[in-house]
Amino acid sequence: MYVLSHPPTIRTQGPSPEWTVRQAGYNKTGVSYTGGNYGSRLGQSYLRSRSATLAHAIEGHFGEAGGRDILEIGCGTGLTLESLGQRSGHRLVGMDFSSTMLREAGARTATSPNPATLLLGNAIELPFEDASFDAIYATRFIHQFPHVDKLRIAAEIERVLRPGGLVALEFYARTINRIRYHLDQHHKYATRELYFSHYPSSEEVREIVGPDFRVRALRYFGDRLVNRVLGYQAFSFGEALVTRFPLARWLMSEHWVFYTPRGKQGELAAARKDAPADALAMMRCPSCRGPLSREATQRILACGSCRRAYALEDGVPNLLSHEARPLA
């Protein structure tokens, strides 16, 4: 698998303080994150349904044939990559900003029939060239950022998506979480504004993804009881019901949004038949989009254009621009 580049429309000057705090927090977790969020019976049902819905959406968009280039942004410990790697011939790339998460993802996906290529990277400056991927998705990721950064991430996604490609983003829904805020969650975050930044309004979602998208419910009010009493099939059926009836969508607490950006709504790009001989040859410097060369003796990727060096840590490229160092 691989990764690519070009000067981005929106550039950053290193991570924001909140971004850095989140990175440090995720670097302290790994297996504990997986167990804490997906170890319960409900967590397992949610993960199973989320992965299956994503796989079906990709198959519905491109057909059952493999050979598509697919990027997961914020891949975490590799749970969704593991699932896709069991059932598709697509070429998978997973990116996260936490080295701890990526180590866990590497261990989880190493024995997959279709293992993913992993790298450290920043969603606001994706280290890929234009039109690199056929499908891009993110689960439980974009909610972490303020609206202005959500827009930046969406712009980067559009830049690296191929014509006719598919984007799948998981959002936390506003309506039901507004009720929860007033009932018992008003102390969850330091301020009301910070709380609601995790739950964008329908108008904010449209601003992020555009006017043409479809929704699929993932979590909904009462799903814990449904899953506990009636099991996975009833849990999944509840998702379908909430999705089908617009008036019931206020019950959603989490949902997929599937879309193709307006600038990419053209003829579907042909699938690549062969992966590049060297995956690293497809990577680019996130700061200047210049090509990278491998310096084997120093275990780095070097950018000759802006004279930056990016570390290779256990074979995983660290393409976080704020962690690069000057090239000697």
Side-chain angles (χ1 to χ4, degrees):
M1 235 92 313
Y2 43 78
V3 243
L4 323 137
S5 106
H6 166 291
T9 302
I10 301 172
R11 306 306 302 276
T12 59
Q13 302 297 322
S16 67
E18 182 182 356
W19 194 95
T20 305
V21 168
R22 290 190 183 282
Q23 181 188 25
Y26 281 118
N27 277 337
K28 294 180 180 178
T29 64
V31 178
S32 61
Y33 173 88
T34 301
N37 288 274
Y38 303 99
S40 67
R41 182 178 176 183
L42 176 64
Q44 288 293 308
S45 292
Y46 156 74
L47 175 62
R48 177 182 172 185
S49 180
R50 185 182 76 183
S51 299
T53 302
L54 176 64
H56 291 154
I58 292 172
E59 291 172 2
H61 194 80
F62 298 107
E64 295 186 2
R68 294 290 173 176
D69 297 300
I70 300 176
L71 169 67
E72 179 174 7
I73 299 174
C75 67
T77 58
L79 293 166
T80 310
L81 288 172
E82 179 185 29
S83 177
L84 285 181
Q86 297 292 329
R87 60 189 298 165
S88 77
H90 301 298
R91 293 184 286 274
L92 306 174
V93 177
M95 189 190 81
D96 202 276
F97 64 15
S98 166
S99 56
T100 304
M101 293 289 197
L102 283 179
R103 281 193 294 270
E104 177 69 13
R108 172 167 283 108
T109 61
T111 59
S112 169
N114 184 25
T117 292
L118 303 175
L119 73 151
L120 279 158
N122 181 348
I124 298 177
E125 48 181 16
L126 293 175
F128 314 122
E129 64 188 0
D130 294 0
S132 300
F133 295 97
D134 299 294
I136 301 171
Y137 71 92
T139 68
R140 288 188 168 181
F141 171 76
I142 199 168
H143 76 93
Q144 301 176 79
F145 300 90
H147 187 63
V148 64
D149 284 344
K150 290 184 177 75
L151 294 173
R152 290 175 174 177
I153 292 168
E156 279 290 88
I157 287 172
E158 179 175 349
R159 182 180 64 80
V160 303
L161 187 72
R162 291 179 184 145
L166 177 69
V167 181
L169 300 178
E170 182 177 353
F171 284 96
Y172 288 2
R174 169 68 65 93
T175 304
I176 195 68
N177 285 293
R178 182 194 296 275
I179 296 171
R180 287 173 173 169
Y181 174 80
H182 292 292
L183 290 177
D184 62 359
Q185 294 190 12
H186 49 278
H187 297 303
K188 188 174 180 180
Y189 296 102
T191 66
R192 186 179 188 276
E193 181 182 9
L194 182 58
Y195 176 91
F196 282 108
S197 71
H198 291 261
Y199 310 104
S201 66
S202 56
E203 291 78 14
E204 288 172 330
V205 171
R206 289 189 191 95
E207 188 177 359
I208 295 165
V209 307
D212 301 316
F213 60 89
R214 59 189 179 90
V215 171
R216 164 72 186 200
L218 286 171
R219 294 288 312 277
Y220 53 92
F221 179 76
D223 61 358
R224 186 181 302 275
L225 179 62
V226 170
N227 189 69
R228 180 183 300 158
V229 175
L230 300 175
Y232 173 75
Q233 294 301 328
F235 169 85
S236 183
F237 182 68
E239 290 178 329
L241 282 179
V242 171
T243 300
R244 181 176 180 180
F245 298 104
L247 290 178
R249 290 184 183 177
W250 72 270
L251 295 170
M252 295 188 305
S253 57
E254 298 177 39
H255 59 89
W256 277 121
V257 167
F258 298 102
Y259 71 103
T260 297
R262 276 196 164 177
K264 299 291 184 176
Q265 290 176 349
E267 184 178 350
L268 191 66
R272 286 192 183 177
K273 302 301 181 183
D274 301 301
D278 183 358
L280 295 181
M282 304 296 291
M283 297 181 185
R284 296 293 186 273
C285 172
S287 297
C288 73
R289 305 296 182 225
L292 298 170
S293 61
R294 183 201 294 265
E295 302 291 335
T297 57
Q298 302 178 56
R299 295 195 301 179
I300 62 170
L301 296 178
C303 177
S305 300
C306 67
R307 306 294 297 171
R308 290 191 176 202
Y310 298 91
L312 280 169
E313 303 168 357
D314 298 323
V316 176
N318 181 346
L319 296 181
L320 294 169
S321 61
H322 72 284
E323 293 187 1
R325 67 177 191 269
L327 187 61

